Amino acid sequence: HEGRAERNSGLFNPRDWGCHLKIQIVRGAHFSCGYTFKVPKQTPAQNRKTYGDIFTEDGYGRNFRFEASFAGKVDPESGMIVNLADIDLWLKKVVDQLDHHFLNDDVEFFKTQVPTPENITRFIFNEIAKQISPKLKITLTNVRLFENDTRWIDYRIATSS
């Protein structure tokens, strides 16, 4: 593949490589919440069997951090794919629903879904996605929820099955 970039006056042309490029912006936020891994219709013994040591009747608190990734084309006039103020507002609306709440009791979605990290990540993705106007021509491509420095969950748009 040597020399391909040189054919384009020194600029990388993704078509030379059979691909295309998109700009992606990633913005993060954090929240603290309480929850318990508990299926309401199950007995404590059944929940303990399902969730093991992480099951507790009273629940516990955790600090989470998440990142939301957005892709789109750069607007030639503004030089941006989306205004960061818009992203910050979308993330704040999600954080406000989660921060300092006991998820099982305070958030409607988690009254029917166990607040596992997988479900929390799905919730964040869907809450952000429904705020994005189709006029913006950007796509929420991924939400990454960090449980800690070595474990995270990605919920993303799949490009193939």
Side-chain angles (χ1 to χ4, degrees):
H1 297 347
E2 281 186 46
R4 286 187 178 185
E6 295 171 10
R7 286 188 279 166
N8 297 307
S9 303
L11 297 175
F12 175 75
N13 184 342
R15 287 186 201 94
D16 289 346
W17 295 78
C19 61
H20 66 281
L21 299 175
K22 278 190 175 183
I23 295 288
Q24 183 166 297
I25 187 167
V26 181
R27 196 74 161 166
H30 55 86
F31 62 94
S32 301
C33 65
Y35 59 94
T36 185
F37 295 127
K38 177 169 66 175
V39 177
K41 63 184 177 185
Q42 290 185 358
T43 67
Q46 290 171 314
N47 277 304
R48 188 168 313 286
K49 183 177 179 184
T50 300
Y51 298 107
D53 291 343
I54 59 174
F55 168 73
T56 172
E57 279 284 332
D58 299 324
Y60 50 92
R62 173 163 274 167
N63 298 316
F64 286 103
R65 181 171 67 88
F66 72 91
E67 296 173 346
S69 303
F70 303 85
K73 292 185 178 180
V74 175
D75 179 271
E77 189 174 319
S78 72
M80 302 183 294
I81 64 169
V82 63
N83 191 313
L84 287 178
D86 291 336
I87 294 175
D88 290 344
L89 179 63
W90 303 331
L91 299 189
K92 182 182 180 328
K93 286 181 179 181
V94 175
V95 167
D96 287 349
Q97 294 179 68
L98 302 171
D99 196 33
H100 292 91
H101 288 283
F102 191 79
L103 301 185
N104 303 69
D105 297 337
D106 299 341
V107 179
E108 199 62 38
F109 178 80
F110 296 113
K111 291 179 181 178
T112 60
Q113 301 289 317
V114 178
T116 60
E118 294 88 341
N119 281 335
I120 294 170
T121 308
R122 281 189 330 142
F123 174 81
I124 293 169
F125 188 102
N126 290 325
E127 290 299 303
I128 294 170
K130 70 184 185 184
Q131 297 180 72
I132 300 172
S133 167
K135 294 178 195 175
L136 290 177
K137 298 182 182 171
I138 62 165
T139 303
L140 174 63
T141 58
N142 188 59
V143 167
R144 173 171 284 179
L145 179 73
F146 292 89
E147 289 188 84
N148 59 42
D149 290 339
T150 62
R151 189 173 58 232
W152 57 85
I153 306 293
D154 281 324
Y155 191 70
R156 72 181 87 196
I157 292 178
T159 55
S160 61
S161 52

